[in-house]
Amino acid sequence: MTQNVQVSDSYWLQTAPGGAPRPALAEDLDVDVAVIGAGVAGLSAAWELTRAGRSVAVLEAGRVAAGVTGYTSAKLTVLHTLVYDRLRRTRGPEGARLYARSQSEAIEHAAGIVAELGIDCDWETRDAYTYVRDPGGVDELRAEAAAAEEAGLPASFVTETGLPFPVAGAVKVTGQAQFHPVKYLLALAADLEARGGRIFEGTTVQGLDEGEPCRVRTEAGATVTARDVVVATHYPIFDRALLFARLSPRRELVVAGTVEADRDVDGMYITPEENTRSVRTAPLADAGRRLLVVTGEHFTPGTGDTRERFARLAAWADEHFPGVERTHAWA
């Protein structure tokens, strides 16, 4: 990878099956539930509701899965860097167990949907690792591994990984997953529509009246009347709880390129060191190669030079995975 980073669309959006845009909502509509936002949260909720027999309308300002979900690193894991030891200390062992159970059941449920619908979304079972290279972080990882195991997860402390460089230690959790999020959501959307649900793209919501029933108003002047409304936008567009005062935007950068299949890192990795570094691979049509996905450089949008951050991330990838031909870079 060279450090002259040319930003592209995400790999997930570029390689998802195409299709004509769905029409915008042009007239008033009555449904049981209106869902605002067609990312992984909104479409998952809408699919479950449609499956339960509710009439559902999904309103999306852009296109399905083309927001935050289309730019994710696409890992499904209960291991979120360092969380279980902190939960055990602040919420008690039962709090940590409940968190672990909720995350595990979510992954199992997604795997069940993939199997039920026969979704071709590059689903792979992989082990997840949180690692450190600094020996000073080992005690914290040992505590994290013990807390995660106590919470009921298949977790352990290890010193060997599939990374091409040594680590001082890592928390390993087996049986996690990675997938192609846009292929997954497009299949979910198609099944939702086959069950009678409706999806409207290019439909910006501007107002919500929380009555009985609720009324959702769009920029084009249409009104959706619904008993219930699910707001599944990345940022809460109706800020009844003044969340804007507590929310802080965060962005991370991604560089990706092809690597020989025998150089696969055989897992999903993240470290809190070096301003975060996350590594995974994804399958490619060429069975002899895989896509290496490197994420990091988290920052608050509007602070610092994004080009410099991309250059640092690309340089890190160059150093640790020499010879990889970069094909994508996104935020």
Side-chain angles (χ1 to χ4, degrees), residues 127-323:
D127 297 337
Y129 299 80
T130 294
Y131 73 89
V132 294
R133 304 182 73 180
D134 180 359
V138 166
D139 288 346
E140 188 175 20
L141 284 193
R142 287 187 183 276
E144 181 71 7
E149 184 178 25
E150 183 182 335
L153 298 175
S156 60
F157 176 82
V158 299
T159 56
E160 299 292 330
T161 73
L163 291 169
F165 50 82
V167 302
V171 181
K172 175 183 179 180
V173 177
T174 60
Q176 306 303 287
Q178 56 188 30
F179 72 144
H180 191 303
V182 180
K183 289 181 180 179
Y184 173 82
L185 282 192
L186 290 179
L188 215 60
D191 191 68
L192 181 156
E193 291 173 316
R195 295 172 184 268
R198 303 179 68 181
I199 300 173
F200 299 95
E201 296 180 324
T203 301
T204 301
V205 170
Q206 286 195 330
L208 170 62
D209 297 326
E210 297 182 48
E212 293 185 7
C214 298
R215 288 181 170 81
V216 179
R217 302 187 307 278
T218 73
E219 184 179 51
T223 297
V224 179
T225 302
R227 190 182 73 180
D228 298 295
V229 176
V230 176
V231 180
T233 53
H234 183 58
Y235 190 93
I237 58 174
F238 304 115
D239 199 3
R240 307 295 198 249
L242 299 179
L243 292 174
F244 70 86
R246 289 177 280 164
L247 289 175
S248 176
R250 191 180 83 169
R251 168 172 274 191
E252 290 187 332
L253 307 181
V254 184
V255 293
T258 61
V259 64
E260 295 86 355
D262 60 6
R263 294 177 65 190
D264 184 12
V265 293
D266 192 25
M268 304 179 295
Y269 301 86
I270 192 168
T271 179
E273 297 174 336
E274 302 180 270
N275 196 19
T276 307
R277 292 292 184 263
S278 172
V279 178
R280 61 158 287 196
T281 66
L284 294 170
D286 179 356
R289 301 187 70 80
R290 290 181 67 87
L291 185 76
L292 178 74
V293 181
V294 178
T295 309
E297 291 297 314
H298 72 79
F299 64 101
T300 300
T303 63
D305 189 326
T306 302
R307 290 173 299 179
E308 290 181 3
R309 296 181 190 277
F310 264 120
R312 281 198 295 269
L313 190 62
W316 189 91
D318 278 343
E319 177 185 355
H320 296 95
F321 300 93

Side-chain angles (χ1 to χ4, degrees), residues 23-49:
L25 179 64
E27 58 187 10
D28 294 350
L29 186 66
D30 286 2
V31 291
D32 294 331
V33 185
V35 177
I36 305 171
V40 67
L43 279 181
S44 296
W47 183 79
E48 297 285 354
L49 289 161

